[in-house]
Amino acid sequence: MPTVLEPLLPAPTRPEVRWGELYGGALALAIAEAARAHAGPLLVLAAGAREAERLAEELRFYASAALPVLGLPDYETLPYDVFSPHPDITSQRLASLAALPGLKHGLIVVAVDALAMRLPPAAFVAAHTLQLASGERLDPAGFRERLSAAGYASVSQVAAPGEVALRGSLIDLWPMGAEAPYRVDLDDDRIDSIRTFDPETQRSGERLERIRLLPAREFELTAEAIKDFRRRYRQRFEGDVTRSQVYKSVSEGLPVGGIEYYLPLFFDALATLFDYLPPATLLVDACGAEAVAARGWEAIGERHEQRRHDIERPLLDPA
């Protein structure tokens, strides 16, 4: 008989199972045990961001070190908002997206709203992920161009994810998905050392042999990407594009606030989270996702209707 420590799992002859009478932390315990028993990761759906965060913390308590618990936060903005997500949110999202295709075991906890959002193609994240290792050769000028293409902002002093500062033979950068920034010390055109450092005191810390750099945004602002954005924008929206702040800002290579809600204009086609997941992923609906999604879709439609009449900021349809 199934128990909370040996929960019933789907099988080819039984593709869907239902659990009941799981109170308090019993649900998280059952999900963690299911993750241990299943030959692949688990995608766990929660009703909202707060519920997803709480469930993820409970799962970390029950899960072993061999079962990572990942999250994909939503933007924490309202649909069609004129604000962009905080860099920490973008950092966590990109770290998860980069990790998902190769995830063998573990848990991915996602709110239904975040699951509904379209994503950049998985190939985009993979193509803009860079690796650096001590002893390798590095062209500083070419490296700076690659970071700029990946969305990193050039600053005088690194203080947040997605920033880079080049000072002679030193390169300070804070990759998306990293808990701390890195300092790369060059000896001519060779990487002499890579260390973490404290952005407040600027003191170097632990020495590393290799680091991974994720893109700074879920889109790029290269000359080619801007050209494609402008073309798709003109195809999608009628009227005088010079009156659009979004069009003008992107044309100048500047990511205007809320640009994430124009993501379809940066790519020929977008992906969903399911495109990032390994084939053996098991879906756990912990919230009645169908009803939650229906309410969320209705709210998105209402928000679109409220804001779609601004000719200086035309909106894409919710679909």
Side-chain angles (χ1 to χ4, degrees), residues 236-282:
R236 189 66 63 92
F237 300 118
E238 298 179 352
D240 184 2
V241 295
T242 63
R243 301 185 62 180
S244 167
Q245 184 60 46
V246 174
Y247 185 89
K248 289 190 293 184
S249 293
V250 173
S251 297
E252 296 170 2
L254 302 175
V256 66
I259 189 62
E260 291 75 17
Y261 292 106
Y262 295 86
L263 191 65
L265 303 184
F266 286 99
F267 299 97
D268 289 328
L270 296 180
T272 70
L273 183 60
F274 297 103
D275 295 311
Y276 284 80
L277 298 174
T281 302
L282 182 66

Side-chain angles (χ1 to χ4, degrees), residues 8-10 15-19 31 34 38 40-46 106-110 112 115 273-274 277-287 289-290:
L8 186 65
L9 297 182
E16 179 179 318
V17 299
R18 293 179 180 271
W19 299 344
I31 294 174
H38 180 61
L42 267 63
L43 173 64
V44 186
L45 304 185
L107 298 129
I108 310 110
V109 185
V110 180
V112 173
L115 180 70
L273 183 60
F274 297 103
L277 298 174
T281 302
L282 182 66
L283 177 65
V284 180
D285 179 1
C287 63
E290 188 173 354

Side-chain angles (χ1 to χ4, degrees), residues 38-305:
H38 180 61
L42 267 63
L43 173 64
V44 186
L45 304 185
R50 184 175 301 177
E51 291 83 359
E53 184 176 353
R54 182 177 66 247
L55 184 55
E57 287 301 315
E58 293 176 352
L59 288 170
R60 290 187 182 98
F61 178 81
Y62 290 116
S64 64
L67 285 174
V69 179
L70 306 180
L72 186 74
D74 64 20
Y75 293 152
E76 293 190 7
T77 61
L78 294 173
Y80 300 112
D81 220 334
V82 297
F83 306 102
S84 288
H86 191 278
D88 288 345
I89 293 175
T90 303
S91 178
Q92 185 179 347
R93 286 173 58 85
L94 286 165
S96 293
L97 292 178
L100 286 178
L103 189 65
K104 303 300 183 184
H105 292 281
L107 298 129
I108 310 110
V109 185
V110 180
V112 173
D113 286 348
L115 180 70
M117 297 170 63
R118 296 284 176 168
L119 300 170
F124 168 80
V125 178
H128 290 79
T129 298
L130 311 177
Q131 303 279 348
L132 293 183
S134 292
E136 286 184 346
R137 293 191 178 277
L138 182 69
D139 172 21
F143 181 60
R144 186 170 192 166
E145 290 180 4
R146 293 189 68 182
L147 288 179
S148 178
Y152 281 77
S154 181
V155 297
S156 59
Q157 183 169 310
V158 169
E163 294 182 344
V164 59
L166 282 77
R167 299 193 301 273
S169 63
L170 289 180
I171 303 175
D172 288 351
L173 69 160
W174 196 331
M176 307 304 278
E179 295 183 0
Y182 302 127
R183 177 163 290 152
V184 180
D185 191 358
L186 299 178
D187 181 7
D188 196 12
D189 63 346
R190 189 180 297 274
I191 298 176
D192 183 58
S193 67
I194 304 172
R195 295 181 181 271
T196 61
F197 74 91
D198 187 324
E200 295 185 1
T201 66
Q202 294 294 300
R203 291 182 178 178
S204 298
E206 177 187 5
R207 186 165 185 153
L208 306 170
E209 291 301 316
R210 184 179 299 273
I211 60 174
R212 181 185 64 169
L213 311 181
L214 298 173
R217 305 188 189 98
E218 295 178 30
F219 57 91
E220 60 181 355
L221 282 174
T222 61
E224 188 66 25
I226 292 172
K227 178 181 177 181
D228 289 341
F229 178 95
R230 287 160 56 96
R231 173 177 54 81
R232 297 187 186 102
Y233 191 101
R234 292 192 299 267
Q235 291 174 345
R236 189 66 63 92
F237 300 118
E238 298 179 352
D240 184 2
V241 295
T242 63
R243 301 185 62 180
S244 167
Q245 184 60 46
V246 174
Y247 185 89
K248 289 190 293 184
S249 293
V250 173
S251 297
E252 296 170 2
L254 302 175
V256 66
I259 189 62
E260 291 75 17
Y261 292 106
Y262 295 86
L263 191 65
L265 303 184
F266 286 99
F267 299 97
D268 289 328
L270 296 180
T272 70
L273 183 60
F274 297 103
D275 295 311
Y276 284 80
L277 298 174
T281 302
L282 182 66
L283 177 65
V284 180
D285 179 1
C287 63
E290 188 173 354
V292 175
R295 292 194 297 270
W297 184 250
E298 182 179 356
I300 292 171
E302 293 174 353
R303 180 79 169 171
H304 177 265
E305 182 61 29

